[in-house]
Amino acid sequence: SGRCGSQYLAKLIGTTLKTKSFHEPAPDMSGVYLHMINAFPYHRTFRQRSIKVQAISSFLRQNPSSHTYCETNHMFIKTFFDVVLNAYHNVEVIILRRELPLVLKSFLDLGYFGPNEKSWKRWMSSPNAVTAAISCIDSVDHLDQVDLCIAYLIDIEARSLRFRRTYPHIKVHEVRIEALNDYAEVFRFLTRLGLSPTRRTIKTIGSRTNLRLEAKKRYSSSAKVEYCRKRIHEYIGKASALGIELPSTLPLIPFEKKPEANLDAPF
């Protein structure tokens, strides 16, 4: 959804053997491509959005076939999943989640969906986009900044579930960003991906990335996590009253760490 730690994930995966990992590489598929999926069904803009495949193919031609290409990008589920899966048959997808009230607070701290911050319009799809995966509780004009953020975040989760239904043959790995601050959890995750950690992996685990501190000073919100939690539950109540069935996978509660395992370093 954004603000879930995808830049850290790219950095972490980039430390594994024979892996090239990038965070939102060009073309990042925001801006005009976001407008396309807001305004038109996917099939109408498939050709234009295929520019992403051209960029990836160019990279693949210049690198050994034994290497893994990784890209972390919240635009994937919005603007280019379909063109990538049409072009390649050995794709695996990571769904990265973070506790939703914390994501909402980060959105508000950065001014997303607010009147004084404009860059989010290049990156965040409308809750009422033509391609949205779930109904919004009202039109955009009738929602405040908080409900707009919540509606967007819920739609992203609904898009991920729609993706799984549409592409049941694609291997999908679900992970909470909170889990990736612990060596044992990281090792489990990389093993599932078939990637081999290195000594650089150990040094990277837990490093803080993309904090956006300066931006948060400009748009700092007084919203507390408990307020965000309250507003999310209020939105859920409104949606339920309207008969909107929300995803059961929303990460509403804090992450619970798994018991430690006896794992030996693989290097």
Side-chain angles (χ1 to χ4, degrees), residues 144-164:
D144 66 7
Q145 179 189 9
V146 182
D147 275 346
L148 284 171
C149 290
I150 295 169
Y152 164 81
L153 293 169
I154 288 175
D155 180 53
I156 292 301
E157 185 65 26
R159 285 174 183 266
S160 75
L161 297 182
R162 181 175 65 186
F163 175 89
R164 299 201 70 163

Side-chain angles (χ1 to χ4, degrees), residues 38-59:
N38 276 335
F40 305 105
Y42 281 115
H43 70 270
R44 286 273 300 276
T45 62
F46 187 91
R47 182 178 58 82
Q48 297 96 312
R49 293 181 295 103
S50 293
I51 188 173
K52 186 64 175 182
V53 171
Q54 298 172 25
I56 295 174
S57 294
S58 176
F59 173 86

Side-chain angles (χ1 to χ4, degrees), residues 29 44 46-47 55 73 95 99 139 146 167 182 184 201 213 215 222 228 233 246 250:
M29 302 303 288
R44 286 273 300 276
F46 187 91
R47 182 178 58 82
N73 192 337
I95 297 177
E99 185 183 349
S139 66
V146 182
Y167 303 97
D182 174 80
T201 308
L213 296 179
S222 60
C228 293
H233 284 288
L246 299 182
L250 291 170

Side-chain angles (χ1 to χ4, degrees), residues 16-20 60 63-69 90 194-195:
T16 62
L17 289 175
K18 295 184 178 181
T19 302
K20 301 290 185 179
L60 294 176
N63 286 272
S65 59
S66 59
H67 281 54
T68 297
Y69 172 89
N90 57 342
L195 300 176

Side-chain angles (χ1 to χ4, degrees), residues 183-204:
Y183 169 74
E185 295 282 359
V186 169
F187 179 60
R188 290 187 188 101
F189 178 62
L190 295 177
T191 298
R192 294 201 331 252
L193 295 177
L195 300 176
S196 301
T198 66
R199 296 187 185 279
R200 285 198 304 131
T201 308
I202 295 295
K203 295 178 181 178
T204 302

